[in-house]
Amino acid sequence: MKILFATNNAHKLQEVQQILGADYLLVTPHQCGVDEEIPEEQETLEGNALQKARYLFERTGLDCFADDTGLEVAALNGAPGVHSARYATSGHDFAANMRLLLHNLEGVEDRSARFRTVVALILGGQEYLFEGEVRGTIMQEPAGEGGFGYDPVFRPEGYDLSFAEMAPEEKNRISHRGRAVAKLAAFLAEHCK
Ligand code: ITT
């Protein structure tokens, strides 16, 4: 089955394609003639995921989905949360975001955090939401080269490695996005027979 994924993030696209497997072929906004940045201006992950999916549905009329993800740090009252992409700058500067996060946690003992993903699906004009989360801690310094975003400073509960030190399949098996997209896949398998 072909399905349109409303993202401008190439890392995410690759991860979600891997999680969904060969039964699904992800189509990009670019392949549908949408090249501008897809807006995400809401104050919640749910709001942003829906905004991105609706934006693409309105332009293409195709079944599609979007994900919005935030890193929520307990000692920072849930920040950066919905502002995770633009924490340090107005762009998607992963290194600057991590630096600012580590700076804001200097000397802080409680380093507990979670990643939360909300997936919004528009199928046959109907909207559906799926959620996934993973709990963990923010490390003292970055480790590993894999993944993207805050992966080098996030250590999931029960592991001694950061997400960036794990094999991609291992991250996908336990991650926020992996869990949300597994729910999406189960729903699609049920509704698109
Ligand atoms: P799209 O909106 O185009 O899909 P984005 O990069 O803006 O791409 P999100 O709004 O969902 O994606 O994510 C916000 C930020 O959260 C993202 O830029 C990363 O810094 C971080 N992030 C998201 N998923 C992550 C993951 O699996 N591991 C580490 N950091 C992640």
Side-chain angles (χ1 to χ4, degrees):
M1 176 186 172
K2 275 190 184 177
I3 186 159
L4 179 54
F5 181 26
T7 186
N8 293 312
N9 180 326
H11 298 277
K12 232 191 217 184
L13 184 73
Q14 199 186 1
E15 258 188 34
V16 172
Q17 182 66 73
Q18 229 170 41
I19 298 165
L20 285 174
D23 287 348
Y24 298 90
L25 179 62
L26 291 181
V27 178
T28 64
H30 173 72
Q31 287 166 329
C32 297
V34 178
D35 283 315
E36 66 274 22
E37 185 145 343
I38 301 169
E40 41 183 320
E41 301 148 332
Q42 309 305 309
E43 280 304 313
T44 61
L45 298 179
E46 288 79 3
N48 274 336
L50 277 168
Q51 184 179 13
K52 290 190 267 188
R54 284 174 185 157
Y55 183 89
L56 217 55
F57 180 66
E58 279 161 17
R59 274 149 192 82
T60 66
L62 298 172
D63 292 335
C64 63
F65 69 97
D67 104 26
D68 200 42
T69 294
L71 174 65
E72 300 171 349
V73 179
L76 302 176
N77 297 318
V82 73
H83 304 292
S84 293
R86 297 173 183 83
Y87 189 39
T89 69
S90 58
H92 289 63
D93 186 335
F94 295 152
N97 286 341
M98 274 192 293
R99 272 199 306 277
L100 180 62
L101 179 65
L102 293 180
H103 173 75
N104 288 342
L105 287 177
E106 263 168 33
V108 174
E109 231 172 80
D110 175 11
R111 301 180 76 88
S112 58
R114 67 171 181 173
F115 272 116
R116 201 161 70 84
T117 289
V118 175
V119 168
L121 167 71
I122 302 183
L123 185 71
Q126 298 289 312
E127 296 177 347
Y128 306 89
L129 293 175
F130 308 92
E131 196 178 321
E133 73 163 47
V134 59
R135 292 179 179 277
T137 51
I138 303 300
M139 296 162 65
Q140 296 290 343
E141 49 189 64
E145 304 290 327
F148 67 98
Y150 299 89
D151 280 345
V153 293
F154 185 85
R155 176 164 42 215
E157 225 168 58
Y159 289 79
D160 279 333
L161 301 172
S162 75
F163 264 162
E165 293 176 297
M166 291 181 168
E169 311 78 59
E170 187 65 0
K171 176 188 171 190
N172 292 340
R173 204 173 56 75
I174 62 164
S175 80
H176 46 299
R177 184 168 299 101
R179 288 174 174 157
V181 173
K183 291 179 190 171
L184 168 74
F187 181 89
L188 289 174
E190 187 58 31
H191 287 77
C192 303
K193 282 179 191 158

